[in-house]
Amino acid sequence: FDFFHGFYTEKKLVGNLASMSTSERIKAIQKMPETMKKKREIRNKVLKVVTEKSRPHSTQLSCCTQCLQGTVVSFRRFGNSLSEYFHLLQLWHKTLKTIGAKFGTSVLSYFIFLKWLLTFNIFSFLINFSFITIPQFIAAEPNNLSFVGLELFTGAGYFQQTVLYYGFYTNATITKVENGPSYNMQLAYIFTIGIYFVTCFLILLFSIAKSFCRNFITPQMYSGNASKLLCTWDFNITNEKAVKLKQKNLSTQIKEYLTEVNREVLNFSVTERIIRFVIHLVSWIASLGTAVAACAGVYFLSTINLKLFVKGHKNNLESQAAMLVLPVVASLLNTFIPFFYSWLGHLERFQSPGHQIYVAIIRNIILKISIVGILCYYWLNVVATSESQCWETLVGQDIYRLVLVDFIFCLLGSFFGEFLRRIIGSTVCVSLGLPEFDIGRNVLDLIYVQTLTWIGILFSPLLPGIQMISFSIVFYVKKISLMMNCQPPRKVWRTAQMTTSFMFLLFFPSFLGVLAVIGVTVWRLKPSEECGPFRGLPSMYAAVSEWVKILENYSASKWVVWIYHNLITSELFFFILSTIVIIITYLYWQVTEGRKTMTKLLHKQIIN
């Protein structure tokens, strides 16, 4: 009797639900005090009844309508399958999950930042290769220099007469077929570089704003404590390894939250505060003095190298090998001085590991940006006015060597700094223990080399391709070294805002400084007379001015001339544009604040 009564009741329930509208039916099923499995069964039965009732009506539909509906459903299923497939193919997705689960978000932020920089260089390489390098292949002359192998390290010799450097590119208008379409290499070179930097500027601003919103303005929306504990588990995970990885990841994140909540604020006496202040002051004086001394040494060495190279006019192996002295010294300074900064950080004994990392990052960014600034001054004020036949290629070679030697030192640092440190800490001196991954030093290495790459794009258009390969190798080397040699941070701490800080440091002072260097080069410096696409012009930008003068003679191109005179060269336009950007940013912040308030109310309701 109970079975038949239950069957009749369920049948009546299904009939009532089938008579409702779609929205009412969904709400009614959600409010049922049943398990998810039972709700799915009821929903499927209701859909079956609804389908049977609408079948006579559906037979009256035209053949075209049925075909259209079938096509829409097929495209929708194909789109869902494609999105799932691309999600599985996401670069290093599983590796990043493993790193985050074992070492926490602080170490994970480095690898996310490295992956993000790799996408930047892939984008840059594709643009430069498509619009600058491929057209040059059509007008390229054969290379008569011999390849001896040392060019891979020096970037000179055989590579001087290749598309790797600025000096090889022609200043002629390329035409493959007589009386056919032409390709202006001067305009292609400057517009490609210019559009790329504008695109990078917008991407960086958007990424910083998005990361700032996620981690500073509305952190509860993405990482609330209640939702992290109650609503994070993905019940679609059935694989045993994936389940264990997810459990470990959640455990690490909850530990980070608890550490932040239970962090103790130490109260020091007056004497202890004075001692700590003196230690901090001496550490900062020592770090700044070291940076100044390093910059002076780099500048002195670079001027000596230039005199030897230009006056000797040599192209043999000895002179080429001598050009490696500057990048080796710069890489040695960038490698060993950060260890000195880390030692200073241990002496200062910060209460939070986050404070120690941020101080190390500030000191390292001062060191590295100062070295890059001195090198830029040397390139723009010494090399550009030297007796070299093609000073742009000489600058490109310097940057090539700096990037390559820094890559080699990065690999050696993983071996000597982490592998040998693990051997010593596990066998010779057990009290040292296993090393921890130095986030600040490794992140600043990435920012340093990316800054050099951005500067070098103008002088070596294919440099992002080289950097793309090196970043891929660095990712795997650092990942293997991390898994084999390093231990998780002794003090667990949450670093949701660290990725935002990395992006901001990449934007300022790195990217904005690069824009200043590129601007001075394009607008102020005179190009070489015997090489490059801008030979014979007073400045690189003069190619654009001459092109606009030609367009003034064509009535169909008046709108381009108007844009150039009233927008591109107008200070008022950029002032208005900046004001609009600030207003949009403010409005976006106001909307986000409203979402933040709604999220807080929602969390209170969940907790209650």
Side-chain angles (χ1 to χ4, degrees):
F1 176 77
D2 292 338
F3 170 77
F4 285 108
H5 181 265
F7 177 77
Y8 173 76
T9 305
E10 183 175 328
K11 188 175 181 181
K12 185 178 179 181
L13 175 64
V14 170
N16 292 334
L17 290 172
S19 62
M20 297 179 181
S21 63
T22 304
S23 58
E24 292 176 348
R25 187 190 310 140
I26 294 173
K27 291 179 181 179
I29 294 176
Q30 289 176 345
K31 292 179 180 179
M32 288 181 182
E34 301 287 348
T35 62
M36 291 297 295
K37 183 178 180 181
K38 185 66 176 177
K39 289 181 180 181
R40 290 193 185 99
E41 292 177 356
I42 295 174
R43 183 195 61 184
N44 293 334
K45 291 179 180 179
V46 172
L47 292 177
K48 187 177 180 181
V49 172
V50 172
T51 304
E52 290 176 353
K53 287 182 178 180
S54 60
R55 186 171 295 167
H57 175 71
S58 63
T59 56
Q60 300 175 3
L61 295 175
S62 64
C63 181
C64 294
T65 306
Q66 293 180 4
C67 292
L68 182 62
Q69 290 178 349
T71 305
V72 171
V73 172
S74 300
F75 272 109
R76 187 178 300 167
R77 290 176 179 173
F78 175 75
N80 293 334
S81 302
L82 198 64
S83 63
E84 292 177 2
Y85 178 72
F86 278 116
H87 182 71
L88 293 175
L89 289 180
Q90 190 176 2
L91 190 63
W92 300 323
H93 181 69
K94 186 177 179 181
T95 302
L96 293 175
K97 277 192 171 182
T98 305
I99 293 172
K102 187 174 181 179
F103 295 91
T105 57
S106 57
V107 178
L108 177 64
S109 61
Y110 165 80
F111 288 91
I112 292 175
F113 186 62
L114 175 57
K115 175 186 172 183
W116 189 68
L117 287 180
L118 176 62
T119 57
F120 249 110
N121 285 279
I122 293 174
F123 169 69
S124 175
F125 172 75
L126 292 176
I127 287 182
N128 291 352
F129 188 78
S130 301
F131 296 99
I132 298 178
T133 305
I134 291 180
Q136 178 61 31
F137 281 132
I138 300 174
E141 298 179 358
N143 192 344
N144 298 322
L145 299 176
S146 59
F147 181 79
V148 296
L150 189 62
E151 293 91 342
L152 293 174
F153 297 97
T154 63
Y158 178 82
F159 287 154
Q160 285 182 332
Q161 300 299 323
T162 63
V163 293
L164 182 61
Y165 294 119
Y166 163 94
F168 183 72
Y169 290 85
T170 181
N171 64 336
T173 300
I174 301 173
T175 305
K176 189 174 183 181
V177 182
E178 189 175 354
N179 297 326
S182 59
Y183 195 82
N184 192 320
M185 199 62 193
Q186 290 181 343
L187 297 179
Y189 201 99
I190 194 169
F191 281 148
T192 302
I193 301 296
I195 292 173
Y196 167 72
F197 277 111
V198 170
T199 307
C200 285
F201 180 81
L202 297 176
I203 292 175
L204 278 171
L205 278 183
F206 176 78
S207 300
I208 292 173
K210 184 179 179 181
S211 182
F212 182 82
C213 173
R214 180 185 294 268
N215 297 318
F216 287 88
I217 298 179
T218 56
Q220 295 87 359
M221 184 181 298
Y222 301 95
S223 57
N225 296 333
S227 63
K228 184 68 67 178
L229 185 62
L230 303 174
C231 313
T232 305
W233 187 258
D234 186 359
F235 289 93
N236 291 323
I237 300 176
T238 56
N239 183 271
E240 184 177 355
K241 289 185 179 180
V243 169
K244 290 182 179 180
L245 182 62
K246 186 71 174 178
Q247 288 175 344
K248 200 170 183 180
N249 206 328
L250 288 176
S251 173
T252 304
Q253 292 180 25
I254 292 173
K255 286 179 183 178
E256 292 173 352
Y257 280 108
L258 292 177
T259 303
E260 184 177 4
V261 172
N262 299 326
R263 185 174 59 191
E264 296 181 0
V265 179
L266 301 178
N267 294 320
F268 298 101
S269 63
V270 177
T271 305
E272 291 174 335
R273 290 180 181 179
I274 294 174
I275 293 174
R276 288 175 62 86
F277 175 77
V278 171
I279 292 174
H280 288 313
L281 181 62
V282 172
S283 298
W284 275 105
I285 293 174
S287 61
L288 294 176
T290 306
V292 172
C295 293
V298 168
Y299 182 76
F300 178 74
L301 182 63
S302 60
T303 52
I304 292 178
N305 260 6
L306 179 65
K307 291 177 181 178
L308 292 175
F309 184 79
V310 173
K311 291 183 178 180
H313 293 288
K314 297 178 181 179
N315 198 29
N316 53 26
L317 296 180
E318 183 181 354
S319 63
Q320 291 184 29
M323 299 301 290
L324 288 171
V325 175
L326 174 61
V328 168
V329 171
S331 296
L332 284 173
L333 293 173
N334 282 321
T335 301
F336 288 105
I337 292 179
F339 286 109
F340 173 67
Y341 290 165
S342 299
W343 179 73
L344 290 178
H346 289 299
L347 287 181
E348 292 174 292
R349 295 183 181 181
F350 291 95
Q351 296 184 35
S352 168
H355 293 163
Q356 182 174 346
I357 288 181
Y358 280 120
V359 169
I361 287 176
I362 293 173
R363 289 171 178 169
N364 280 280
I365 197 71
I366 291 174
L367 169 69
K368 295 181 183 294
I369 295 300
S370 299
I371 291 177
V372 174
I374 288 294
L375 288 172
C376 290
Y377 177 82
Y378 156 71
W379 290 326
L380 302 184
N381 291 275
V382 179
V383 178
T385 58
S386 65
E387 301 174 2
S388 175
Q389 294 180 349
C390 190
W391 66 267
E392 295 91 347
T393 296
L394 194 59
V395 172
Q397 290 175 2
D398 275 344
I399 297 176
Y400 173 89
R401 288 188 286 266
L402 286 166
V403 169
L404 183 65
V405 173
D406 184 83
F407 167 69
I408 295 173
F409 271 76
C410 180
L411 301 183
L412 293 176
S414 296
F415 178 77
F416 290 102
E418 295 169 358
F419 175 70
L420 293 183
R421 171 72 167 76
R422 176 180 70 87
I423 298 298
I424 295 172
S426 58
T427 57
V428 180
C429 186
V430 183
S431 59
L432 287 176
L434 297 178
E436 294 184 14
F437 189 79
D438 195 336
I439 303 168
R441 178 173 57 84
N442 284 283
V443 166
L444 267 298
D445 287 341
L446 296 179
I447 293 178
Y448 167 76
V449 76
Q450 184 60 39
T451 305
L452 290 175
T453 304
W454 274 332
I455 297 172
I457 285 177
L458 185 63
F459 309 103
S460 179
L462 295 186
L463 195 60
I466 299 172
Q467 198 58 45
M468 180 178 63
I469 297 172
S470 67
F471 275 158
S472 301
I473 297 174
V474 166
F475 185 94
Y476 286 106
V477 170
K478 290 293 183 182
K479 176 241 179 181
I480 295 171
S481 178
L482 177 72
M483 294 296 181
M484 294 180 60
N485 304 322
C486 299
Q487 65 173 341
R490 293 185 181 91
K491 294 182 180 180
V492 182
W493 57 291
R494 191 167 68 95
T495 55
Q497 295 88 1
M498 185 159 281
T499 304
T500 308
S501 303
F502 295 161
M503 292 181 181
F504 180 76
L505 288 174
L506 186 67
F507 181 74
F508 177 81
S510 176
F511 184 75
L512 293 183
V514 170
L515 290 183
V517 173
I518 297 298
V520 171
T521 306
V522 171
W523 270 274
R524 295 293 181 89
L525 298 183
K526 181 178 175 58
S528 299
E529 294 287 345
E530 302 179 7
C531 69
F534 304 102
R535 67 190 76 175
L537 296 176
S539 67
M540 295 183 182
Y541 188 73
V544 179
S545 302
E546 292 184 1
W547 176 62
V548 172
K549 291 179 180 178
I550 295 174
L551 292 181
E552 291 177 353
N553 300 323
Y554 299 94
S555 58
S557 304
K558 291 293 184 182
W559 61 276
V560 179
V561 179
W562 186 89
I563 291 176
Y564 175 79
H565 288 296
N566 295 278
L567 298 181
I568 304 299
T569 60
S570 173
E571 295 84 358
L572 180 61
F573 168 73
F574 287 102
F575 174 77
I576 296 174
L577 185 63
S578 303
T579 306
I580 293 173
V581 170
I582 294 173
I583 293 174
I584 292 175
T585 305
Y586 175 76
L587 294 176
Y588 181 76
W589 179 78
Q590 290 292 334
V591 172
T592 310
E593 279 293 312
R595 292 172 62 189
K596 178 181 177 182
T597 305
M598 294 297 295
T599 306
K600 286 183 177 180
L601 294 175
L602 180 61
H603 277 292
K604 287 182 180 179
Q605 292 178 0
I606 293 174
I607 294 172
N608 294 332

